[in-house]
Amino acid sequence: MTDRQERGRRGEAAAAKYYLDRGCRLLAHGYRTRQGELDLILEDRGVIVVAEVKTRGQRALFSGAEAVDTAKQRRILLAAKRYLQQNGLTERQVRFDVVEVGCVPGGYRIHCIKSAFEAGL
């Protein structure tokens, strides 16, 4: 595993802890489809949350949210649609978050952008 992959894995774990500490329930982590991968799928008071986690080092030039462009959003939406269909959740309300995880000395800084983009599901 490369340093970048390891940083991403740890960032996803930090983001999952962030949600769990706020009472969410983790439904899936690293859900893969042909359309792409969903980092975290959670339930927050009846709402299904699909969280795209972007982990950045201290010297990152771009924010995590900037990396979730229209093409990336489209892949996330297609993968989420598949997950919802497979798990009988198509009638549930869905929210798409982007979680920026910054590596700082001694840990992580979490910035959660709730409803970062809308779905046409």
Side-chain angles (χ1 to χ4, degrees), residues 47-113:
V47 175
I48 303 301
V49 178
V50 177
E52 176 67 14
V53 180
K54 292 296 180 187
T55 306
R56 297 290 184 252
Q58 290 181 335
R59 296 184 199 140
L61 299 175
F62 300 101
S63 74
E66 289 175 310
V68 186
D69 60 11
T70 304
K72 179 70 172 174
Q73 290 175 20
R74 190 174 313 116
R75 288 191 301 274
I76 291 169
L77 293 170
L78 289 170
K81 186 174 182 180
R82 176 125 177 126
Y83 176 85
L84 296 169
Q85 289 170 342
Q86 285 182 336
N87 291 279
L89 300 170
T90 55
E91 300 300 316
R92 299 285 288 278
Q93 182 181 349
V94 182
R95 184 178 87 214
F96 293 88
D97 294 355
V98 173
V99 183
E100 297 176 325
V101 179
C103 298
V104 296
Y108 298 95
R109 177 186 41 79
I110 307 284
H111 178 229
C112 180
I113 305 166

Side-chain angles (χ1 to χ4, degrees), residues 1-46:
M1 184 176 288
T2 67
D3 286 345
R4 186 170 156 225
Q5 288 172 319
E6 180 63 21
R7 180 174 52 228
R9 188 188 68 72
R10 288 183 181 187
E12 287 178 13
K17 182 179 182 327
Y18 169 88
Y19 281 105
L20 295 173
D21 287 349
R22 284 154 182 76
C24 296
R25 184 168 64 101
L26 183 63
L27 302 176
H29 176 253
Y31 175 80
R32 294 181 188 277
T33 70
R34 284 192 328 215
Q35 293 81 16
E37 180 181 348
L38 300 177
D39 294 332
L40 300 173
I41 305 168
L42 308 108
E43 184 176 23
D44 182 12
R45 293 181 281 280

